[in-house]
Every structure is written in C-alpha cells, then in structure tokens.
Amino acid sequence: VSWEAPNSSLVARTLYEVMLAKNDDFFDQHSIEHRYQAFGRPMAIFSDQGSENSGSIIESFVRNGGAEWRKVVPGQGDRKPFIERFFLELSRATTQLPGASQTSEIGPKERTALAQSEASYTLSEAETYLQRWRYDVYARTPRRRIQSAIGSSEAPIQAWKRLSKNQWISDPPTPTEVREMFMVQVVKRKAQRDGLQYKNIKYSSEALRDYISRMGPGIEVDLRINPHDIREIAVFDQGRMKHFYVRAKDENCPAISFAELDRIRKELDTSKTDELHAQAILAAMKLDIHHKPGKNRTALQRAKAHAKEMKRDADIVERPINVSNRGR
C-alpha cells in the first residue's frame, strides 16, 4: 500500500514478497490469525500493458530470474481470470471501509460528503486491514473457479496446499538471488583506496576495501544498482566471479531513487567530484526539489499531491535497507 501511483518500483517490491517467506514479525504486525506460507520462484507472470510493468528493473528481473513475462492484449481480461476476480473482491472489500468515497450501490459523487465526515484509516491501518483480509478472508473463501479433483469448490489456500503435495514446486530464490534480480547493470567506475563514488554518493565497506587491496588501487569495477534505492550498490568480484553488496558510506542516506537524486544534484549544481552527504540530500527533500514536477493542477490538487509526497518521504527515510531481507 503506497501513496504512489503504480510504478515499476512498487511492482518490484511486490515480486520481492512473492518469492520470499514471511517472518513472524509480519504476521504479528498485522494480527493475522490464519498464517501460512505460499511463495516460490514464478515461472510465468501475466500482466496488462501498463507502464509500471516495464522498464530497466523489470527487464533485469526477467533476465536474471528466469521467469517468462506475458503481457495480455487490452480487452482480454479472460486471459488472466484469477487476478481479475481478486481485484473484484478487493474492490468490494475496500468499499466497506469507513470513509470509502463510493460503494457498489452508491457512486463516488453521491457519497463524497458523507465519506469526508466519517472516521478514516491511516495508510498503515489500511495496509493492516488489507493484509488481514488477504489471509483471513480471501484466501479462505471457496471459489467456483478453483475446483478440487472431486469437483468441489476450494478456497485458494486449500488449492495451494493440495497442489503443493502433488506437484513439483521449484525452490525459491535465496535473498541474495532476489537482490541480484533487481540490480540493473550500469557502467564501470574507478575505485579509490577507501571505496568508490557513483552519482556523488560515496560507497564503502570492508568487503570493497578488501577487493581493492587484492586487485590494486584504481581498478575499474562493474557496478549494478537498484534504480529505486540509492543506499546500496552491487560490485562484481572478478576474482571470485560473484557480486557483493556495498552500502552508502553515510548511514543516514534516504531510500530515494537515482532519478530523484539526479534532480537534487542538478538543483544543487553539485560538481561531479564532490561527495553528496545525507544531510544535504535530506535538506533538499524538505524543499521538495527531488520530485518530478507535475502538470498544471488546481491549488487543491497541488496541496493533496504535496501531502502525499511528504508522507512518502517520511516513509522512505524509515524504510529498511532491503525488502528481501525481511524474510531472513
């Protein structure tokens, strides 16, 4: 659940969750009663033609994850009936929330005033509501489209448990493999004795310093990045033929995208050789110069957009270093 419009970063974070087990903290956080694990390595993914289902990070996942990504022609929802049914049930569930601006019986314009007067959920409360509904309601409700061997309807979790006993399920990727799936190849950078710099962010770690000492100062290294998180890069170890991960030297570096970082660098007119510290980045975020300028909007629309951006910024400053590590 996010303030953001659909984008490839949110799709990537969803794929993280699909492939990794949940830990107890996740179930406890959302007070989920019926806990179960359903995860693995996807063989095929069906999606619509939306722009959020494309881009460098999605291409990296397809290339490194071994999954086939099939985009359905518009107007052919029957090609992905299970997820379309899920969206229908999700829509019905969300319209039951206090403050819902519309229901199945009342349109959005008719209920707006009433919705504004009702108690409304915070973003975190809405996420808990939906996660609990996902596990305790949707997964346990029998569906006519899902039938057992004897022809009776099953709930999604019943079908998963039955099929997992009779069908082969490939081992899920490790957390390290998942991280690599979403690291996009970029360019070579020359390492210094104490680390390396990319887009004015200094990256350093004991593993990187050890690699530099083995290969020699000034060596050019191959970098990979997650376009949506500047806090960590991957460096390819030519000797051991594998990647290792290097954190930003400044531990307070926020989880903004490299596109946002580029806008900050341009606005601050930062020299290519200067190190950009977290304090300067956070100060620029307060000035709202990292967000992509929106099209002409009314004052009310600009105010709403600004409120969403501020909430998003507060969230990403607190976000853990890697979503995939939560399952460890």
Side-chain angles (χ1 to χ4, degrees), residues 139-206:
R140 302 179 64 246
T141 302
R143 307 289 172 197
R144 285 184 296 176
R145 280 193 173 274
I146 306 177
Q147 294 188 352
S148 68
I150 59 176
S152 61
S153 60
E154 287 182 319
I157 186 57
Q158 291 175 315
W160 173 275
K161 291 178 178 179
R162 174 175 57 83
L163 291 170
S164 63
K165 293 179 180 179
N166 303 323
Q167 305 293 328
W168 176 76
I169 299 177
S170 61
D171 291 333
T174 65
T176 298
E177 289 176 319
V178 173
R179 290 165 79 185
E180 290 187 358
M181 289 178 188
F182 299 99
M183 284 286 182
V184 178
Q185 187 70 42
V186 286
V187 296
K188 293 180 180 292
R189 281 292 185 273
K190 185 172 290 188
Q192 302 161 356
R193 289 185 178 276
D194 60 340
L196 57 88
Q197 189 165 288
Y198 178 68
K199 289 185 179 290
N200 297 98
I201 303 297
K202 189 67 171 291
Y203 296 90
S204 181
S205 70
E206 184 177 345

Side-chain angles (χ1 to χ4, degrees), residues 231-250:
R231 296 174 300 172
E232 182 182 57
I233 60 172
V235 173
F236 185 69
D237 187 325
Q238 299 179 25
R240 296 169 179 170
M241 299 301 293
K242 66 178 183 179
H243 287 90
F244 61 93
Y245 296 89
V246 184
R247 292 283 306 274
K249 182 179 178 181
D250 196 327

